[in-house]
Amino acid sequence: LLLGGNLLTHFTHSRDLRYVYNLTAHYNTDEKIYETMALAEAHGVNTLSIHTAPRVMDILKKYRYERGGKIGWIICSTNQVDADPAAYRKHVQELVADGTEAIYLWGVVSDRLVAEGKVDMIARAVAIAKECGVPSGVGAHDLKAIVECEKQKVNADFYIKTFHHHNYPSGP
């Protein structure tokens, strides 16, 4: 079972309710995040899916290496593979060295790359993680990203897809 990491990183997808981000940030202190992960583990959740927002890796490493947490990590780098593939590779290598079990391309990036006709860059990101020795996937907010990856035979091991509507005033 997967624990989604957006609330832990304060990315609440709260649409037009801007105050919710700050509310979540104040509620989810480091201690509350450790408590949430421990509670998830106690109920059979064995993996966390999260992106590299500020301080995420510090929190995850402390939970695992100092507090004895066992929850696995599926992490996406927020680096832009198309803007600087070398920096993306370096970040993936660091994530793997820190103990990440799998890497995926951030859905924000995948959606943009598909819209720009750059599925080859998604394939490059997938290949980079595999070259670093971990399973590699693609995140998406738009189903088009997954459809295009399948059409163009991107060698992803898995996909992570959000399920939500855009029926709100600031929705795309």
Side-chain angles (χ1 to χ4, degrees), residues 72-120:
W73 308 336
I74 300 175
I75 299 180
C76 68
S77 170
T78 52
N79 287 31
Q80 305 294 308
V81 67
D82 58 323
D84 191 347
Y88 184 84
R89 178 182 298 279
K90 182 177 185 233
H91 194 216
V92 168
Q93 289 169 333
E94 291 168 358
L95 292 170
V96 171
D98 285 339
T100 301
E101 282 81 15
I103 301 285
Y104 70 101
L105 184 62
W106 193 22
V108 170
V109 176
S110 301
D111 294 343
R112 177 181 59 78
L113 291 173
V114 167
E116 294 173 358
K118 297 180 181 176
V119 177
D120 60 316

Side-chain angles (χ1 to χ4, degrees), residues 46-59:
N46 61 5
T47 307
L48 168 69
S49 170
I50 199 164
H51 69 282
T52 53
R55 298 189 10 80
V56 164
M57 292 311 297
D58 292 338
I59 291 169

Side-chain angles (χ1 to χ4, degrees), residues 11-160:
F11 285 86
T12 57
H13 293 278
S14 51
R15 314 297 178 241
D16 300 314
L17 304 174
R18 303 283 182 226
Y19 70 91
V20 175
Y21 179 90
N22 288 331
L23 181 67
T24 305
H26 283 86
Y27 178 77
N28 280 321
T29 63
D30 291 1
E31 284 303 317
K32 181 52 84 175
I33 291 170
Y34 300 139
E35 179 185 330
T36 299
M37 288 192 291
L39 185 62
E41 282 190 73
H43 286 87
V45 176
N46 61 5
T47 307
L48 168 69
S49 170
I50 199 164
H51 69 282
T52 53
R55 298 189 10 80
V56 164
M57 292 311 297
D58 292 338
I59 291 169
L60 293 180
K61 288 190 289 188
K62 183 174 182 178
Y63 180 73
R64 180 180 283 176
Y65 300 120
E66 294 178 24
R67 294 178 172 232
K70 304 288 184 224
I71 200 163
W73 308 336
I74 300 175
I75 299 180
C76 68
S77 170
T78 52
N79 287 31
Q80 305 294 308
V81 67
D82 58 323
D84 191 347
Y88 184 84
R89 178 182 298 279
K90 182 177 185 233
H91 194 216
V92 168
Q93 289 169 333
E94 291 168 358
L95 292 170
V96 171
D98 285 339
T100 301
E101 282 81 15
I103 301 285
Y104 70 101
L105 184 62
W106 193 22
V108 170
V109 176
S110 301
D111 294 343
R112 177 181 59 78
L113 291 173
V114 167
E116 294 173 358
K118 297 180 181 176
V119 177
D120 60 316
M121 295 308 300
I122 296 173
R124 187 169 188 178
V126 167
I128 286 170
K130 286 184 176 212
E131 290 163 7
C132 293
V134 295
S136 182
V138 177
H141 298 93
D142 190 333
L143 190 58
K144 291 178 201 171
I146 295 170
V147 169
E148 285 303 312
C149 286
E150 286 294 299
K151 279 184 185 176
Q152 296 193 34
K153 301 201 183 321
V154 171
N155 193 22
D157 294 310
F158 61 92
Y159 295 103
I160 292 180

